[in-house]
Amino acid sequence: MCGIVGMIGNRPVARLLVESLKRLEYRGYDSAGVATLVDGALHRRRAAGKLFALETALEAKPLAGDIGIGHTRWATHGPPTVENAHPHVAGKVSVVHNGIIENHQEIRTELVALEIHPESQTDTEIVALLLNKLLDDGATPEEAMRQVMARVTGAFAFVVMMEDCPSTLFAARRASPLAIGYGEGEMFVGSDALALAPLTRRISYLDDGDWAIISADGARVFDHHGAEVERAVTLSAVSGALIGKGNYRHFMEKEMHEHPEAAGYTLFHYNHPSNGGLAMPEMPFDPATLPKLTIVAAGTSSFSGMIAKYWFESLARLPVEVDIASEFRYRDTVLPEGGAAMFISQSGESLDTLMALRHAREQDQHILAIVNVPESTMAREADVVLPTLAGPEIGVASTKAFTGQLVALACLALDWAEKRGTVTPERSAGILKALEHLPVQMAEVLEREHDLVPICHDLSHARDVLYLGRGTSFPIALEGALKLKEISYIHAEGYAAGEMKHGPIALIEDGVPVVIVAPSDQWFEKAISNVTEAMARGGRVVLLSDSDGIARMGNDATWAFEMPDCDPFVAPILYALPVQLISYHTALEKGTDVDQPRNLAKSVTVE
Ligand code: F6R
């Protein structure tokens, strides 16, 4: 998604803006630009493609100026060309923007009728043109900002710089996140704390509908009624030192190698040895009498929810419904009085999930959020936050945050099962032990990562790949297929193995790879009989199982990757690793842009 930065102070900002934009690269983008004010006049450089193209443009024609704004654009309205890249300039006004202005077409028509013609196809330029028109009509900058905020609809964040105000930046937010950073005699604004990490850790977050006037010595914030308000300044947990690839080729590779830490730290957070058992956050309801849990998320995070459904149902005997956020938010959902709704998100900012959270809030549900970014909007809006301690995730494809989510969910399912009296102390202790053992077993899988390389070499020539699993391995099959599609661009489908004969089996012909996720669990026998059906039709089977499963399968699979023996309850957490690693090594074979796959954004803050 688009990334925004702005700075105002007493030193040249162009290079700092680009450095901040680099820390927002993980969000995904396809063009970039910066603008500064020099002696009260706007200057900008823009480039299509990656940031080095912008750096080249800046080397050729450097930009001076102690005040500036910058942007990485993920194209929504109009292709990723220089003309559509931000900052957009209209007369004396320059704007960078993230999100979507829903009524831009209507405003565009009005402006054109007044002979004001946009140069780009973007919704952003409409904001710049509107502001400039209001200034031309005699409005003060503050009045113009107020009027624009009242006029535009949609989910957005933007930062504005005006020639008439050489010592001021204006920032506004509705639904899309925006953070203000406080320095010494200089101020910053950015899409998240990560963008501002090396510059300052003193951060305040604008609330929905807020807009702000930022000068070198501070910020004045106004809420959606126009009243001046205080927004707390907190010390961000994000540190600039954390953000680097180290010795890894890609952030995704580094982050997969952080699975053991993500799982370990998250478990430690909920099951600290000094507590003598699970210590989950206090709930505003009694889990023993909860009628239903609704879990909502998007993409990989929704697969965590699907796995959790198996856990809550089997262990805590709790009815659970899982939905994807983009559907849930527009459905006429029937939610029980006193029910709980849980939202799972790495970023805590995915717009669909955030809107689904608000939809559930309107229906009087208790709101729980599982997030990896503690300062995110979802974390701030939830009644109860269950953090995952996976650390910043920069690669666009979510990896370690997924296992962090699963560990948090496993702890919660276990805790509620204890409170509902549906689990024996022995089983509870067994599951905790299996969870505690996970980081070591994850490290074992990562040590044998290279055994997957020949398999991935094979897969990289495939046109279609089928992923199958039953029970809690079904969402892992979905995760494997999603990741392969995302970063290697190979068409892949994940299916519940039992569904194969109801349709997808028609896809299997000589040489089609079928990855089967099959730990030795209660579903193993059935999963294997589905595999033999695939093999009988010429499918090339990649079996992910433990030593017992591989022995039971005999030599029938084309490839087998041996996983450590584990309690079936925690198997989906461990089996997330080989499916993610397979997608990574297949993408390496294909030479794709692993960390920033085409068309994708890290945090999807538009609909
Ligand atoms: C897949 C992936 C996406 C995200 C999805 C939700 O590799 O990264 O499918 O899982 O966009 O994002 P969050 O969890 O930030 O809400």
Side-chain angles (χ1 to χ4, degrees):
M1 257 345 68
C2 302
I4 293 180
V5 287
M7 296 178 191
I8 173 164
N10 43 23
R11 51 179 168 160
V13 291
R15 192 185 52 79
L16 295 172
L17 287 168
V18 174
E19 290 306 313
S20 283
L21 290 177
K22 284 183 184 165
R23 283 184 297 278
L24 289 171
E25 274 192 300
Y26 74 95
R27 297 163 73 91
Y29 71 104
D30 31 41
S31 59
V34 292
T36 58
L37 272 178
V38 186
D39 298 330
L42 280 167
H43 296 270
R44 68 177 159 170
R45 305 284 179 266
R46 298 180 293 170
K50 296 296 178 190
L51 276 172
F52 72 78
L54 177 64
E55 286 182 302
T56 311
L58 279 164
E59 266 164 38
K61 280 177 88 181
L63 272 186
D66 298 348
I67 173 170
I69 53 181
H71 190 263
T72 46
R73 172 171 187 252
W74 185 79
T76 54
H77 297 73
T81 56
V82 175
E83 294 69 36
N84 287 331
H86 303 209
H88 282 283
V89 172
K92 301 170 177 172
V93 176
S94 181
V95 177
V96 288
H97 155 236
N98 170 29
I100 287 178
I101 310 290
E102 273 175 355
N103 57 347
H104 75 102
Q105 199 57 51
E106 180 189 313
I107 303 173
R108 177 184 290 262
T109 309
E110 286 173 22
L111 290 170
V112 170
L114 296 169
E115 296 296 323
I116 299 172
H117 295 282
E119 286 172 4
S120 75
Q121 292 148 286
T122 64
D123 49 348
T124 310
E125 194 188 354
I126 301 304
V127 177
L129 288 166
L130 193 57
L131 276 167
N132 193 56
K133 161 141 193 4
L134 291 164
L135 294 176
D136 279 351
D137 290 349
T140 63
E142 287 82 358
E143 278 163 13
M145 278 300 288
R146 264 181 228 280
Q147 288 187 43
V148 164
M149 282 300 277
R151 182 68 217 275
V152 295
T153 61
F156 54 78
F158 53 79
V159 180
V160 179
M161 193 165 63
M162 301 181 193
E163 285 187 346
D164 289 346
C165 307
S167 315
T168 313
L169 290 174
F170 298 87
R173 123 167 228 212
R174 194 176 295 151
S176 298
L178 204 57
I180 295 182
Y182 289 73
E184 295 301 326
E186 51 186 359
M187 290 286 289
F188 314 97
V189 54
S191 295
D192 60 28
L194 205 56
L196 310 181
L199 299 164
T200 182
R201 287 179 57 204
R202 290 172 57 225
I203 299 288
S204 80
Y205 291 91
L206 292 184
D207 270 3
D208 239 8
D210 282 357
W211 67 277
I213 302 174
I214 306 168
S215 63
D217 353 288
R220 292 176 64 201
V221 180
F222 303 87
D223 70 8
H224 63 287
H225 299 299
E228 190 159 351
V229 285
E230 291 286 327
R231 299 290 175 223
V233 179
T234 54
L235 211 53
S236 162
V238 173
S239 140
L242 280 168
I243 305 141
K245 274 189 270 205
N247 292 330
Y248 294 96
R249 286 163 290 184
H250 296 100
F251 278 110
M252 182 178 180
E253 184 185 28
K254 171 175 177 270
E255 287 160 8
M256 288 189 297
H257 282 259
E258 289 168 350
H259 273 301
E261 283 91 344
Y265 286 142
T266 305
L267 183 64
F268 215 56
H269 182 76
Y270 297 112
N271 182 45
H272 198 282
S274 61
N275 291 331
L278 284 169
M280 303 308 288
E282 196 69 35
M283 297 290 154
F285 53 86
D286 181 1
T289 54
L290 186 69
K292 179 180 167 186
L293 174 66
T294 305
I295 303 180
V296 185
T300 288
S301 296
S302 74
F303 305 146
S304 297
M306 288 173 72
I307 292 166
K309 175 180 168 76
Y310 287 85
W311 289 340
F312 281 107
E313 285 178 352
S314 66
L315 212 59
R317 308 301 300 141
L318 175 67
V320 175
E321 191 182 348
V322 186
D323 213 335
I324 46 174
S326 52
E327 288 299 316
F328 175 85
R329 62 179 286 204
Y330 291 116
R331 275 216 337 265
D332 260 341
T333 37
V334 182
L335 300 172
E337 208 183 309
M342 180 156 69
F343 300 84
I344 308 173
S345 175
Q346 187 286 126
S347 58
E349 302 291 353
S350 293
L351 189 71
D352 284 323
T353 312
L354 179 62
M355 292 304 170
L357 181 155
R358 292 177 183 167
H359 177 67
R361 163 84 66 210
E362 279 164 15
Q363 296 180 52
D364 293 330
Q365 299 295 290
H366 300 292
I367 306 293
L368 279 64
I370 297 198
V371 291
N372 193 44
V373 180
E375 297 117 346
S376 59
T377 309
M378 280 180 226
R380 283 179 280 132
E381 294 197 10
D383 299 325
V384 182
V385 181
L386 290 104
T388 52
L389 280 79
E393 195 181 70
I394 308 294
V396 161
S398 188
T399 52
K400 59 177 178 166
F402 180 56
T403 46
Q405 290 166 354
L406 288 172
V407 169
L409 286 159
C411 291
L412 192 67
L414 196 54
D415 183 60
W416 287 7
E418 286 175 1
K419 295 190 163 113
R420 292 166 78 89
T422 51
V423 66
T424 62
E426 295 73 31
R427 181 71 188 121
S428 193
I431 291 175
L432 273 180
K433 212 161 156 233
L435 286 168
E436 279 161 13
H437 198 40
L438 265 179
V440 173
Q441 294 189 310
M442 286 171 156
E444 282 172 35
V445 175
L446 290 165
E447 262 169 39
R448 290 193 303 98
E449 175 181 0
H450 290 288
D451 296 349
L452 290 167
V453 172
I455 305 177
C456 297
H457 177 72
D458 210 39
L459 290 183
S460 68
H461 300 296
R463 197 191 55 189
D464 310 291
V465 179
L466 221 55
Y467 282 77
L468 302 177
R470 275 183 180 254
T472 51
S473 297
F474 163 42
I476 296 300
L478 293 174
E479 164 69 354
L482 176 66
K483 284 285 179 295
L484 194 74
K485 276 186 277 214
E486 276 185 307
I487 64 164
S488 75
Y489 313 147
I490 295 174
H491 171 242
E493 297 286 347
Y495 268 98
E499 269 292 291
M500 194 178 61
K501 53 186 165 303
H502 297 287
I505 198 163
L507 290 174
I508 299 179
E509 55 184 6
D510 243 8
V512 171
V514 181
V515 180
I516 171 93
V517 186
S520 295
D521 57 16
Q522 65 192 100
W523 298 284
F524 181 81
E525 290 299 339
K526 287 197 191 308
I528 291 308
S529 67
N530 298 131
V531 173
T532 46
E533 289 158 13
M535 283 190 312
R537 284 152 186 89
R540 285 167 73 74
V541 171
V542 178
L543 174 67
L544 305 178
S545 190
D546 43 49
S547 56
D548 187 40
I550 291 174
R552 278 153 80 188
M553 180 76 189
N555 291 326
D556 290 343
T558 316
W559 302 97
F561 181 77
E562 190 177 317
M563 294 288 291
D565 295 336
C566 65
D567 187 312
F569 185 90
V570 302
I573 314 181
L574 198 56
Y575 280 65
L577 272 65
V579 298
Q580 293 179 351
L581 288 165
I582 284 174
S583 71
Y584 176 70
H585 286 285
T586 308
L588 284 189
E589 291 278 341
K590 296 204 69 183
T592 54
D593 188 349
V594 171
D595 280 337
Q596 288 163 37
R598 66 184 180 206
N599 304 337
L600 291 180
K602 177 71 183 159
S603 161
V604 183
T605 49
V606 294
E607 257 198 90

